[in-house]
């Protein structure tokens, strides 16, 4: 079991570093302009000059995949930051104090979690309009309940342990108990939850962009590239293959890291 766990972590970290590093590279450098048209290179296949080929407008797919992956990564991290930060505070306070406020917040989380995040995201986007920042805001808010429930569960487990009771007897403030004494003990489980949340954020952003309500032209993302290329799959499969492969490797790598963390916790 330990050898399998190490393989999950090792291979997952390799895939995650490669895919996330590739995505981050697009923030600073692309070999060609992602929006530069070239009639002579329309539908050009993969070659040394264009590693991932060119699309129906002669745009370099490698450059566009770099830009699209960086956009997907940025949006996913921003969504994760909003959902995790707000969910951490809500879950910690509800789990530690309990009471009527805890019951109300959890019932609200249950109501939100009862609907698919992409469906609710589409409703929100229909109200506030499409665009990268609106997608970040909509998905970030929709990711709060899952993190709030995860954090709350951990705080319910720890709030009556002896070290917490001892801190109360010593006169330590509740906020210090929450964020200094209990929170560090929850990080192993929270790290595993973060990997799941990241993959869900990537898939949600890709779904929104695929449906045309996420990243808007001239910007692009992996989901939007797949949407634009589906009409050319039979004649130019590389237009879908490479963006999809980058997204799959990113999700697979981060997912394997999360699985490795869960197995380590199980072994511990």
């Amino acid at each position: 079991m330990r050898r399998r766990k190490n393989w999950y972590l090792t291979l997952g970290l390799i895939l995650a570093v490669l895919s996330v590093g590739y995505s981050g590279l697009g923030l600073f450098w692309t070999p060609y302009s992602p929006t530069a048209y070239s009639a002579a290179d329309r539908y050009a296949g993969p070659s040394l000059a264009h590693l991932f080929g060119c699309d129906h407008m002669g745009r370099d797919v490698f450059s566009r995949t770099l830009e699209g992956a960086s956009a997907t990564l940025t949006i996913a991290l921003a969504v994760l930051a909003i959902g995790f930060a707000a969910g951490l505070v809500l879950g910690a306070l509800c789990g530690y104090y309990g009471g009527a406020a805890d019951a109300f917040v959890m019932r609200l989380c249950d109501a939100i979690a009862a609907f698919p995040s992409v469906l609710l995201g589409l409703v929100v986007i229909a109200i506030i309009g499409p665009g990268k920042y609106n997608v970040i805001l909509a998905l970030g808010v929709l990711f709060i309940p899952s993190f709030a429930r995860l954090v709350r569960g951990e705080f319910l487990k720890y709030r009556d342990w002896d070290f917490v009771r001892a801190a109360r007897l010593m006169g330590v403030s509740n906020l210090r108990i929450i964020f200094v004494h209990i929170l560090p003990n929850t990080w192993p489980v929270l790290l595993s939850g973060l990997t799941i949340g990241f993959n869900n954020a990537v898939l949600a952003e890709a779904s929104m962009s695929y449906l045309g309500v996420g990243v808007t032209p001239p910007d692009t993302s992996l989901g939007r590239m797949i949407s634009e290329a589906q009409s050319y799959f039979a004649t130019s499969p590389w237009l879908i293959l490479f963006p999809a492969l980058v997204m799959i490797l990113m999700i697979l790598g981060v997912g394997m890291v999360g699985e490795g963390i869960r197995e380590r916790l199980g072994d511990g």
Side-chain angles (χ1 to χ4, degrees):
M1 175 65 75
R2 184 168 297 275
R3 178 176 298 178
R4 180 168 174 257
K5 172 197 64 181
N6 289 337
W7 272 111
Y8 265 120
L9 288 173
T10 302
L11 184 56
L13 284 172
I14 292 173
L15 291 177
V17 168
L18 288 177
S19 58
V20 173
Y22 174 88
S23 303
L25 181 63
L27 294 171
F28 309 102
W29 173 84
T30 56
Y32 299 92
S33 171
T35 58
Y37 301 154
S38 174
D41 293 324
R42 294 178 69 239
Y43 303 111
S47 64
L48 291 178
H50 301 282
L51 294 179
F52 291 177
C54 297
D55 65 8
H56 60 291
M57 295 183 180
R59 297 172 297 188
D60 181 62
V61 176
F62 182 74
S63 299
R64 289 181 61 76
T65 304
L66 276 172
E67 183 187 52
S70 66
T72 296
L73 176 65
T74 302
I75 292 173
L77 291 177
V79 168
L80 198 64
I82 294 173
F84 179 71
L88 176 64
V89 174
L90 277 177
L93 294 177
C94 289
Y96 184 78
Y97 289 107
D102 171 43
F104 173 77
V105 171
M106 288 302 105
R107 296 298 77 75
L108 181 60
C109 289
D110 290 341
I112 296 176
F115 298 92
S117 59
V118 174
L119 177 60
L120 284 179
L122 289 174
V123 174
V124 175
I125 293 299
I127 298 173
I128 64 178
K132 177 170 64 175
Y133 296 107
N134 288 347
V135 167
I136 291 174
L137 177 61
L139 292 179
V141 171
L142 295 176
F143 271 54
I144 293 174
S146 59
F147 286 114
R149 294 186 66 84
L150 177 64
V151 175
R152 175 181 178 271
E154 289 298 294
F155 271 76
L156 285 174
K157 180 173 69 174
Y158 285 110
R159 70 180 182 181
D160 291 324
W161 280 31
D162 289 342
F163 73 92
V164 176
R165 293 178 178 176
R168 291 197 192 101
L169 291 175
M170 294 173 62
V172 178
S173 67
N174 286 328
L175 288 180
R176 183 174 178 82
I177 292 175
I178 290 172
F179 293 105
V180 176
H181 293 268
I182 299 180
L183 183 59
N185 291 284
T186 68
W187 276 115
V189 173
L190 296 187
L191 286 175
S192 179
L194 279 170
T195 61
I196 298 174
F198 175 83
N199 285 346
N200 289 338
V202 170
L203 290 173
E205 184 282 324
S207 300
M208 302 284 278
S209 294
Y210 180 84
L211 295 173
V213 296
V215 176
T216 56
D219 297 328
T220 190
S221 71
L222 296 178
R224 185 159 193 88
M225 289 185 67
I226 293 173
S227 176
E228 293 175 347
Q230 62 181 346
S231 300
Y232 309 98
F233 179 72
T235 56
S236 305
W238 58 85
L239 300 182
I240 288 181
L241 174 63
F242 292 114
L245 183 61
V246 171
M247 185 165 60
I248 290 171
L249 291 178
M250 185 187 302
I251 293 173
L252 180 63
V254 175
M256 291 182 70
V257 171
E259 182 64 26
I261 293 175
R262 286 190 292 274
E263 287 196 3
R264 182 183 293 271
L265 291 173
D267 290 345

